[in-house]
Amino acid sequence: MDTELETVLPVYIVGDSHSLPYRNMVFRERWTGAWVMARTKYIPGATAREFYNPATGEFHPDFIAFLEYEGLVRNGRATHLSMDEVDFSIAKAVGQAVRPPLIMITVGEIDVRGPILQLLKDSHDFVPPFATTLPLLDKPLVPWDIIDEAIEARLGPFIAGLDQLVQAGFKRVYVQSVVPPTRQEARIRELQKYDCPVSVRTKLVQAFNWKLAQKVRSVNLFMIDRWSDLTEGDLLRPEFDFDGVHLPPKGARLLLETLIDHAIDSRGLVANHPRYELYYRMACGLDPFQPAKSNAA
Amino acid sequence: MAVTSMISTAKQRLKGGINQALSALGYRLVRADTADRLTGHFNPASWSGNGTAQPRRLTLLPAANAAPAMCTAHAPKFDPQKTPSQLADKIVAFQQNGVTVISTNPEKAAHFRETESFDRDVSNRHSAWDWAGNSVAPYTQDLQTGMPSAALVDYLHALFSGGDFDSFFRGVLGCPAKVANVRLVRSKPHLTEGVGPQEWHSDGCPAGVIRGVLYLCDVDEQTGPFQYRDANHREHTVLGKTGDLLVFDATRLMHRGSPPSHKTRSAIDLVFMPRMPEEDMKIMVVGMNHWPADPFFVKLPKERAADACDPISEGRGVASLY
């Protein structure tokens, strides 16, 4: 019996606990009917600040461990771009097209809730440099420059890490926007040990995402955002207020569908040029694995 | 030597003493990596098997995934004296200029112009994760496309399997070729700026991939002729007769199908890619896709119904998800 084999389209989702709602998620996407499967890695306490160390060029060990475990990295190299005979043999044994993987990183929420929110607490508000429907409270204002600097300090290393990922050949990396915070004041008090009005903490997440989107774009990547679907009047819709921190799986799926929608129209990036080079050499009767030749940029 | 030996003996005695004391309490002193292995917690990345620990590499090395500057780099310089061919002058022209024009049967081309259906827009109904290709939604109304009939595919198969074209592809590529895609394209006259393939662009084709355009009508200045810029940035316009086949390196040359000002241009768009010597000629038909992501594992994408690709008709309602 000749049965056509069907495989899934894996999307690798790695980061803080916001990667958890994607765990074991499987669905058929609307464009080709392919099964999408989320392969997740929860890195406890993962932050944007500690994702990458620009001074040493090192990524968070658990991030690299995840990429290695999934077969996306070997010996510090992206396996999908490898011209090593070993990786060629591995790909042959797997028997599937080798293409740049779809990866989504979830970090930022701890950065916001940690050092940045402390600038505001229940005592201050701020005016962001973009339009928002959230009110300005009758509280002393923290200048935007201070907020901006605090966000910058958290995002700087992360963006440097994203750039490094792109240089390593991972050009289909997405970043999940920080999800709108809960409306439950008691939950915030429980988490933060202090109060902070919902309009202020939501505005801060908006500001973080505003900067995150720009910075992610600056390294030719894309931030996944469904703010308008997840909120009502810029505040989290009750149906997406799951446990006071995370989106429910149905909210996570919205974000994953956005990634798929973007990726299906960005397939200029799927061509595997090193493997075309190998193929072309073989077709021409040349030795495809020339030791001196490297695909390093 | 004596001091070293004394220290070693002292360490052994100390270990022995500690082990005895721990043993009396029901414990045992074991090296950390041994304990990890015994309890199944050992980290394979930090254990090379010969007892030396290897720290995990946390940096990533740069790697390029870019189109080559020219797509026919492995073709040896063609010498028409050594390798006689009916299309020798075309091979030489291609190697020199990155483009050449080959005449094919004009009656056949005119016949297909009348019989083929240009009944589609440029939406991509064959979207597939393993193929590079156009966006799902159409990006212009100035172009009509169509799927080739079985008769046209048979004709092209016979044409490109012939000895002349076999030697031509071996000359320009250095290896035999197969067809990665055939699609019909009709450019309607318009006076607005061209978009998509009517804008100046380079295709970014992978190594060994070259393009072809088979004119199904005479193409003059008003019919939107093919244009390219040479290495000195000089602009060239390629007029043609029905049945003319342009073959070009779409990455080496900036090019465009110029917007037709007054007459409709009908043509067949072709993508050629390398073929292994033992492989038979193959013609793939994949709509608005360009080339497979990975040439070693090629699976033809299936077509979806036109309305299945319309996100608006399907809706994006949250309520329907769970």
Side-chain angles (χ1 to χ4, degrees):
Chain A
M1 191 172 70
D2 186 19
T3 309
E4 191 183 4
L5 293 174
E6 196 172 7
T7 55
V8 299
L9 172 71
V11 181
Y12 302 94
I13 301 171
V14 53
D16 61 17
S17 59
H18 291 276
S19 64
L20 292 171
Y22 298 98
R23 183 169 287 179
N24 298 331
M25 189 176 285
V26 177
F27 63 91
R28 277 195 189 273
E29 48 83 6
R30 74 181 74 234
W31 305 113
T32 72
W35 285 104
V36 174
M37 183 173 74
R39 299 192 59 87
T40 61
K41 169 69 179 174
Y42 165 44
I43 303 175
T47 63
R49 176 74 185 78
E50 284 150 14
F51 175 77
Y52 177 73
N53 183 345
T56 62
E58 292 182 326
F59 288 87
H60 192 294
D62 289 354
F63 177 64
I64 295 294
F66 176 63
L67 297 182
E68 287 179 343
Y69 176 78
E70 294 291 350
L72 306 180
V73 163
R74 194 174 67 81
N75 294 338
R77 288 185 186 277
T79 51
H80 69 280
L81 298 181
S82 172
M83 292 175 82
D84 287 355
E85 198 161 0
V86 172
D87 292 307
F88 184 79
S89 299
I90 291 170
K92 197 173 176 185
V94 171
Q96 295 174 24
V98 181
R99 59 191 177 212
L102 292 168
I103 299 173
M104 183 161 76
I105 300 169
T106 64
V107 289
E109 196 256 343
I110 299 174
D111 300 86
V112 174
R113 272 202 294 119
I116 311 176
L117 196 64
Q118 289 200 26
L119 297 170
L120 302 161
K121 291 188 174 175
D122 194 25
S123 55
H124 290 77
D125 200 346
F126 73 103
V127 180
F130 52 83
T132 175
T133 61
L134 296 168
L136 187 62
L137 304 181
D138 186 18
K139 292 177 182 290
L141 296 179
V142 173
W144 166 249
D145 288 355
I146 304 287
I147 304 285
D148 186 47
E149 199 176 307
I151 296 174
E152 193 76 37
R154 307 301 295 187
L155 284 184
F158 179 57
I159 301 303
L162 291 181
D163 192 34
Q164 199 60 35
L165 271 176
V166 172
Q167 301 303 321
F170 294 99
K171 295 187 178 180
R172 299 207 298 169
V173 174
Y174 292 84
V175 178
Q176 184 191 287
S177 54
V178 175
V179 302
T182 179
R183 295 189 190 199
Q184 304 168 44
E185 303 296 351
R187 183 75 172 113
I188 288 297
R189 202 172 302 125
E190 181 190 350
L191 286 168
Q192 300 297 116
K193 314 299 181 206
Y194 56 76
D195 287 326
C196 181
V198 65
S199 66
V200 175
R201 58 180 190 259
T202 305
K203 201 179 344 178
L204 185 59
V205 171
Q206 271 187 316
F208 189 89
N209 285 341
W210 182 74
K211 285 207 60 120
L212 181 63
Q214 292 172 28
K215 288 184 161 291
V216 168
R217 199 66 223 143
S218 74
V219 289
N220 294 319
L221 298 179
F222 187 73
M223 185 183 84
I224 301 298
D225 185 23
R226 292 293 287 267
W227 187 272
S228 58
D229 294 303
L230 299 175
T231 60
E232 190 173 38
D234 274 333
L235 296 176
L236 183 63
R237 287 175 184 269
E239 63 264 37
F240 292 117
D241 202 341
F242 189 50
D243 62 356
V245 178
H246 307 103
L247 287 178
K250 68 175 180 180
R253 179 165 156 182
L254 270 183
L255 294 171
L256 193 46
E257 285 183 336
T258 305
L259 183 155
I260 293 294
D261 291 352
H262 187 274
I264 192 72
D265 278 346
S266 307
R267 284 173 303 121
L269 297 172
V270 302
N272 193 321
H273 291 284
R275 282 177 67 79
Y276 264 96
E277 177 62 23
L278 290 177
Y279 189 86
Y280 182 29
R281 282 187 207 167
M282 290 167 80
C284 291
L286 302 171
D287 176 9
F289 304 109
Q290 296 166 19
K293 186 91 176 179
S294 163
N295 68 334
Chain B
M1 279 295 282
V3 175
T4 311
S5 174
M6 282 171 64
I7 292 172
S8 177
T9 306
K11 278 167 69 178
Q12 291 295 333
R13 283 183 180 164
L14 181 63
K15 272 188 195 171
I18 293 172
N19 268 332
Q20 277 183 357
L22 287 171
S23 184
L25 296 168
Y27 295 98
R28 187 169 290 179
L29 187 65
V30 187
R31 285 173 62 91
D33 51 5
T34 307
D36 280 350
R37 280 192 293 153
L38 290 174
T39 54
H41 290 143
F42 96 101
N43 180 354
S46 66
W47 182 257
S48 65
N50 59 8
T52 55
Q54 281 189 339
R56 183 187 295 282
R57 184 193 182 103
L58 300 177
T59 55
L60 292 177
L61 295 165
N65 187 21
M70 65 183 292
C71 293
T72 57
H74 297 313
K77 185 163 171 49
F78 183 72
D79 181 350
Q81 305 299 324
K82 282 186 186 169
T83 318
S85 165
Q86 289 291 322
L87 296 174
D89 57 327
K90 308 298 181 185
I91 298 169
V92 171
F94 183 96
Q95 290 202 334
Q96 283 177 351
N97 308 319
V99 60
T100 191
V101 181
I102 302 167
S103 297
T104 70
N105 188 324
E107 287 80 25
K108 281 284 186 187
H111 167 75
F112 287 121
R113 181 183 68 225
E114 301 307 321
T115 56
E116 294 296 302
S117 295
F118 296 78
D119 55 353
R120 299 176 174 218
D121 60 17
V122 294
S123 59
N124 193 338
R125 297 192 207 171
H126 291 75
S127 289
W129 293 102
D130 289 346
W131 282 76
N134 277 12
S135 59
V136 174
Y139 57 87
T140 180
Q141 299 301 317
D142 293 330
L143 297 174
Q144 292 172 309
T145 68
M147 301 295 285
S149 66
L152 175 55
V153 171
D154 287 347
Y155 169 69
L156 294 173
H157 190 281
L159 179 68
F160 297 131
S161 299
D164 289 349
F165 272 100
D166 186 63
S167 63
F168 172 76
F169 286 119
R170 287 175 192 273
V172 298
L173 285 177
C175 63
K178 60 188 172 190
V179 178
N181 193 19
V182 181
R183 62 173 167 244
L184 308 165
V185 180
R186 179 167 278 167
S187 308
K188 295 189 288 187
H190 60 97
L191 297 173
T192 51
E193 287 290 306
V195 297
Q198 295 185 347
E199 289 177 289
W200 285 101
H201 66 282
S202 159
D203 284 9
C205 298
V209 174
I210 55 176
R211 304 290 305 265
V213 177
L214 177 57
Y215 286 157
L216 298 181
C217 60
D218 290 348
V219 175
D220 61 16
E221 294 281 2
Q222 298 183 327
T223 322
F226 178 82
Q227 294 181 312
Y228 70 94
R229 290 181 183 144
D230 65 21
N232 298 314
H233 308 290
R234 283 179 304 214
E235 210 166 287
H236 299 263
T237 298
V238 184
L239 306 179
K241 295 286 184 191
T242 304
D244 281 356
L245 171 68
L246 281 69
V247 182
F248 58 105
D249 185 332
T251 300
R252 178 176 160 189
L253 300 176
M254 287 291 285
H255 64 278
R256 68 171 183 166
S258 60
S261 57
H262 293 84
K263 300 176 194 168
T264 297
R265 185 185 68 171
S266 301
I268 301 170
D269 247 18
L270 296 149
V271 179
F272 301 105
M273 67 181 285
R275 171 162 60 99
M276 293 296 172
E278 69 280 4
E279 196 182 353
D280 290 332
M281 162 57 79
K282 187 189 288 179
I283 308 259
M284 292 181 263
V285 178
V286 292
M288 297 308 292
N289 290 323
H290 306 325
W291 39 78
D294 180 349
F296 290 97
F297 298 105
V298 178
K299 187 177 171 186
L300 288 184
K302 290 178 183 160
E303 178 171 3
R304 300 193 81 203
D307 57 356
C309 297
D310 179 4
I312 297 164
S313 67
E314 285 206 346
R316 292 176 182 270
V318 172
S320 64
L321 297 179
Y322 282 86

